[in-house]
Each structure stands twice: as structure tokens, then as C-alpha cells.
Amino acid sequence: MAHLEFTPRIAFSGAISAMTRTRMTVTDQKTGGSPSGSNGRSSVAGGFLRWWLQSWHPIVFLAVVIVLWWLVTAQGWVQPYIIPAPSDTWAAFAENAEYLLQHTWVTTYETLIGFAIAGVAGLLVAVIMVYSKGLEKTFYPVILFAQVIPKIAIAPLFIVWLGFGAAPKILVAVLMAFFPVVISGLAGLRSVDPEILQLVSTMGASRLKVLLKVRLPAALPELLSGLKVAATLAVTGAVVGEFVGANEGLGYVILQANGILDTAMLFAALIIMSVMGVVLFAIIQIAEKFLIPWHASRRDVAAATVRF
């Protein structure tokens, strides 16, 4: 009589096979031979549902704010030159669309160039500071000192040095966005487990390979968080530079509208400025989804979507 030995591995393999067959049977019953078009529509509906579950809080809050804004102005609780009605603000958008678009493009250009320079330079400085304690002790106080100085106070110097073109506005945007990139990059590059660094070093990896294969991937969560902060600050920096000396850009529009008490135009420019910052923030957040899908922050987002 043959002796059959029952081992945990055989039992586990049998259980997995049974679960796989059950899942395939359930899937076949659910699909029922339905065409791929139905699956596509279900996929789109599921994607919209996930988006709504993630986004309905700010949408509802924004709707409440607009309703309260309309109520305050409709009841005459504040004068129109202090807070314009939503309809007046929309009219300012509609009647001056080409004018606003022209100045929005100028500020967008200054913001994007300043943000790109700050991102590259900030990461480069962070890498240098990680690999050189001496340079870190040299750069860190200078960076902190430059961050503490109000940018509106030194912006006139940039106008004197660089003229009235785009250069001084880009420089202010760089200075505003540079600090969070450096700090987040430094924290991320140092977050690697020392045992991992020791392991790859014993395997003969060069400093460049350690940086590209170990440190940078580990630093991505902190670095992307810093870039999201830097994106919003770059918009502010470009507008601050335009406040000091410019004949175009959203900062120029805000100053002109403020000078003639055209609060509807002022609100329109502020809304465009805010939307620019939100769009840049959202682009980096979407990049997070593809660059660090393994990170706990992304899993938390998925879990929150399932819960609510």
C-alpha cells in the first residue's frame, strides 16, 4: 500500500489552486460573456466614482463659499468696492478675457522657469550637502539667511541689477521656491537606512550609482512634497516680483485694479493666480502616483477612497 505524505506545502498549494479556480469561476459568472465595451464603460464609471469620492469635499466646500459670497453681496452687508459680487467678478473675466490671458501667460512663464531652476538647483545643493559636511556647514546658514529675508524687500535690488524684464521676477520666484526643495531633498537623501548604504558599498557600487539607484528613489516622497510647496511659492514669487516693477503680468493687473478700486478685476486676477498654484500642485500630485506608487502615502489615499 502506497504511503501518502501530507505536508503543509502541498496543502498550501492545493488551497491556492482552489482559490484561483473559484476566482476564475466567479469572474466568468460576472462577465457572462459581455462585450469589451461594457467593461470599458464600467471602468470609466468606476474611475469617475473614485474621483468623486476623493474630490467631493473641496467641491462642496467651494460651493458653500460661493453661496456665502453671493449672500453677503446680495444682502448689501459689504460695499461692492470692498467685496464684489460673484456676478461682477465673472463679468470682469468675460469682458477682459484676452487682457487677462495675456498677463496670465507672462506670470505662468516666469513661474515655470523659476520653479524649474529652483527644483534643479535645490536638488543639486541638497546632494552636495549630503556628500560634504564641510559644504553643508558653509551653505546651510547662507540658505537660511536668504530664506528669512522678505523677498519684497530685496526685489527692488533685482530691478536695479537686472532691469524691468522677466529676469528679476524669475529670480524672486527661484528664491521663494528654492528653500523647500533643498530642505526636503536633504531630508529625503538622508532617510536611507545606513545598513543598505553599507551593503551596496561592499558590493562595489560607486557614489554615483548609490545616488541614482538608492538615495534618489528613497528621497522621492520627501522631494515631491517639497516640490508641491515650491510650486505654490513660485507663483507667489513671480507675482511679488511684478509688484515691484513691471508693465505686464498678474501682479501688474492686481496693482492697476487696486489703484482704481476695481475689486472685480482684482478678484479675477487673484482667482487666476490661485488656480495656477493649484494646477501646478495637482500636476506634481499626479506625478506622485506614477513615481512612488509603492509609498505609504499612496496606499493611504487608496484606503481613504475605499473607506469613504
Side-chain angles (χ1 to χ4, degrees):
M1 181 176 180
H3 176 70
L4 298 177
E5 183 180 356
F6 179 81
T7 63
R9 179 176 296 179
I10 295 174
F12 181 74
S13 301
I16 293 296
S17 300
M19 290 172 61
T20 304
R21 288 194 298 270
T22 303
R23 175 177 290 183
M24 293 175 62
T25 303
V26 172
T27 304
D28 292 340
Q29 291 175 354
K30 284 183 177 181
T31 55
S34 59
S36 59
S38 299
N39 294 334
R41 288 192 295 270
S42 300
S43 164
V44 172
F48 177 78
L49 180 60
R50 286 192 297 272
W51 173 84
W52 173 252
L53 290 175
Q54 291 181 8
S55 307
W56 75 267
H57 296 85
I59 292 175
V60 171
F61 177 76
L62 182 61
V64 171
V65 169
I66 293 175
V67 169
L68 291 177
W69 178 14
W70 171 81
L71 181 63
V72 167
T73 55
Q75 295 297 322
W77 294 338
V78 293
Q79 296 298 322
Y81 65 86
I82 298 177
I83 298 180
S87 57
D88 295 336
T89 304
W90 175 254
F93 273 116
E95 295 171 4
N96 303 278
E98 185 176 353
Y99 173 79
L100 288 172
L101 182 62
Q102 173 188 352
H103 291 282
T104 299
W105 163 245
V106 173
T107 303
T108 302
Y109 168 77
E110 296 164 353
T111 299
L112 293 178
I113 298 297
F115 175 67
I117 295 174
V120 174
L123 180 58
L124 180 61
V125 171
V127 171
I128 293 173
M129 291 170 66
V130 164
Y131 281 101
S132 175
K133 290 291 184 182
L135 291 177
E136 179 186 359
K137 293 178 181 178
T138 303
F139 287 159
Y140 210 100
V142 176
I143 294 172
L144 184 60
F145 179 77
Q147 176 64 21
V148 171
I149 297 176
K151 305 305 177 291
I152 191 69
I154 59 175
L157 287 176
F158 299 153
I159 299 295
V160 174
W161 295 340
L162 302 174
F164 285 89
K169 290 82 172 178
I170 293 173
L171 183 56
V172 176
V174 170
L175 291 178
M176 291 284 286
F178 179 75
F179 187 74
V181 177
V182 173
I183 298 303
S184 61
L186 192 61
L189 291 170
R190 284 180 172 166
S191 65
V192 183
D193 190 341
E195 294 183 357
I196 296 178
L197 295 176
Q198 186 176 3
L199 174 63
V200 295
S201 296
T202 56
M203 295 174 66
S206 64
R207 283 192 171 188
L208 181 60
K209 283 189 176 180
V210 172
L211 174 64
L212 297 178
K213 301 293 185 179
V214 179
R215 285 190 181 273
L216 277 179
L220 278 177
E222 288 83 2
L223 183 60
L224 289 170
S225 297
L227 287 174
K228 286 191 285 189
V229 176
T232 58
L233 291 177
V235 179
T236 305
V239 174
V240 166
E242 292 167 353
F243 281 163
V244 176
N247 56 6
E248 55 184 355
L250 291 177
Y252 171 78
V253 173
I254 291 172
L255 285 179
Q256 294 296 311
N258 186 59
I260 60 175
L261 295 180
D262 187 359
T263 52
M265 178 65 76
L266 192 150
F267 267 57
L270 289 175
I271 290 172
I272 294 174
M273 174 182 163
S274 301
V275 170
M276 285 174 55
V278 171
V279 169
L280 286 176
F281 187 95
I283 290 173
I284 300 173
Q285 194 162 18
I286 292 171
E288 274 188 342
K289 181 179 179 181
F290 298 98
L291 293 175
I292 53 171
W294 45 266
H295 194 252
S297 62
R298 303 308 309 170
R299 294 196 297 270
D300 292 343
V301 169
T305 305
V306 173
R307 286 197 303 268
F308 203 63

